[in-house]
Amino acid sequence: MIGVMGAGAFGTALAVSFARSGDVVLYARDAEQVREMRETRTNETRLPGVTLPEALEVTDDLARLGGCAAVLLSVPTQKLRGALEGARHVLAGKPLVACCKGVERDTQASPTRIIAETVPDATPAVLTGPSFAADIARGLPTALTLACADEVAAEGLQELLRAPHLRLYRTGDVTGAELGGALKNVIAIACGAAIGAGLGESARAALMTRGYAEMARMAEALGAEAETLAGLSGFGDLALTCMSEQSRNLRYGLSLGREEAFEAGVTVEGAATARAVQDRARGLGIEMPITDAVVALVAGELRVREAMDMLLARPLKEE
């Protein structure tokens, strides 16, 4: 049996997908949300139009995750530490698969590092790559990266998490997989801001390309493999997130570019991650001008056209 912690759109979508071929427990801490999902067999607020399979159990009883072979953590990165600290007695010793993308603001920790620090005897892993909740829930073809430093555990998880229309590629490069998923959100904000401000598709293409170069620089400095950044968890996720308005980070960038208020209550991982990444890059002596511009935009210190002028005014150099 597979467990999923977090009944947002992505957690629900994963639970629906895996419940088509086996039993799944979906945990949410909001008792009222659980009651509604049980009665309607939908999660209409977070994932409208999707029926929950009979094999999917929705619960607010944390202890139900104790009987699961592995637990997927679909909790925002900035809230992951708190969620795990309150559940370590149930999750101890299990494979825990982070399905969130980002870097913890105050500690610069990745999701798997947060897992290792809060549930030390768990086996940390990460599931990442180009995917939208609606596509996964509808059973549309999706390919993802499953990263785990323990090769035997990775093979077991790859088999356990088999699902129709969901193909998992295994890697031991956890650092690369996590960095790709985190950094692409920052670049997506920049792309959205450019489009929202009317700067055009050529500007988006330039930001994606130079943004990928920033991702690669940081990944190399932290010991990640170039092949990982060129794969699903890096380039693949970057392309999807920067091109589709299903991306919350892109939509947030659009709102910045249009100087409009963003959707209330919607988590934008890239906003908090940008500042954490900037701090880490400065500590490593790495230039990340697009990330710097996003931090300034989010803080209201620059407008989009000012940020673009700043990027265009940088010294000329070879690509």
Side-chain angles (χ1 to χ4, degrees):
M1 185 163 59
I2 297 169
V4 179
M5 175 184 279
F10 199 69
T12 303
L14 288 172
V16 167
S17 180
F18 294 125
R20 293 191 177 112
S21 53
D23 292 333
V24 175
V25 173
L26 175 61
Y27 167 78
R29 62 178 183 176
D30 185 335
E32 180 60 23
Q33 180 190 16
V34 169
R35 183 191 64 78
E36 290 181 4
M37 291 176 68
R38 284 174 172 172
E39 290 180 357
T40 65
R41 299 306 297 173
T42 67
N43 188 352
E44 202 61 28
T45 303
R46 302 298 184 88
L47 195 65
V50 175
T51 300
L52 307 183
E54 287 302 314
L56 174 53
E57 174 192 346
V58 185
T59 182
D60 60 350
D61 180 6
L62 188 62
R64 290 291 297 131
L65 295 177
C68 297
V71 177
L72 309 184
L73 306 173
S74 187
V75 178
T77 301
Q78 308 307 321
K79 297 181 179 180
L80 181 60
R81 188 180 297 274
L84 291 178
E85 286 175 345
R88 59 163 60 98
H89 61 290
V90 173
L91 302 177
K94 293 185 179 300
L96 300 181
V97 184
C99 302
C100 46
K101 301 172 183 178
V103 179
E104 192 173 41
R105 173 66 189 91
D106 294 335
T107 67
Q108 301 170 22
S110 69
T112 55
R113 183 178 136 195
I114 295 171
I115 293 170
E117 290 175 353
T118 54
V119 193
D121 58 349
T123 301
V126 60
L127 186 64
T128 185
S131 55
F132 288 137
D135 293 347
I136 290 176
R138 291 167 58 199
L140 299 179
T142 303
L144 298 173
T145 297
L146 175 66
C148 182
D150 184 326
E151 185 175 355
V152 174
E155 291 175 354
L157 283 169
Q158 189 178 34
E159 185 63 32
L160 177 68
L161 301 177
R162 291 170 64 97
H165 311 295
L166 188 61
R167 182 170 177 79
L168 304 186
Y169 288 86
R170 191 176 70 249
T171 180
D173 183 13
V174 177
T175 298
E178 288 189 302
L179 281 174
L183 298 176
K184 58 88 185 178
N185 284 336
V186 179
I187 307 306
I189 292 174
C191 289
I195 296 299
L199 301 184
E201 293 294 342
S202 297
R204 175 168 20 203
L207 287 166
M208 287 178 64
T209 307
R210 297 312 305 164
Y212 181 80
E214 287 192 16
M215 292 168 60
R217 279 200 297 274
M218 175 161 270
E220 180 181 1
L222 293 175
E225 299 171 9
E227 292 82 357
T228 306
L229 267 292
L232 290 166
S233 59
F235 176 76
D237 213 356
L238 177 71
L240 182 70
T241 309
C242 291
M243 295 298 294
S244 172
E245 290 193 29
Q246 288 189 66
S247 162
R248 293 168 295 181
N249 292 280
L250 182 78
R251 294 201 309 274
Y252 177 69
L254 288 170
S255 73
L256 290 176
R258 294 167 180 163
E259 299 185 351
E260 299 173 348
F262 188 59
E263 307 157 44
V266 175
T267 299
V268 182
E269 289 281 20
T273 292
R275 177 71 73 176
V277 168
Q278 182 187 62
D279 291 345
R280 189 71 182 274
R282 287 176 174 174
L284 293 168
I286 302 171
E287 284 194 347
M288 300 189 73
I290 296 174
T291 299
D292 292 340
V294 169
V295 170
L297 287 171
V298 171
E301 297 168 355
L302 284 179
R303 301 177 71 181
V304 174
R305 290 183 182 275
E306 293 170 333
M308 187 59 71
D309 288 344
M310 181 182 73
L311 291 172
L312 291 173
R314 285 173 53 77
L316 299 177
K317 63 177 185 177
E318 290 185 354
E319 186 172 22

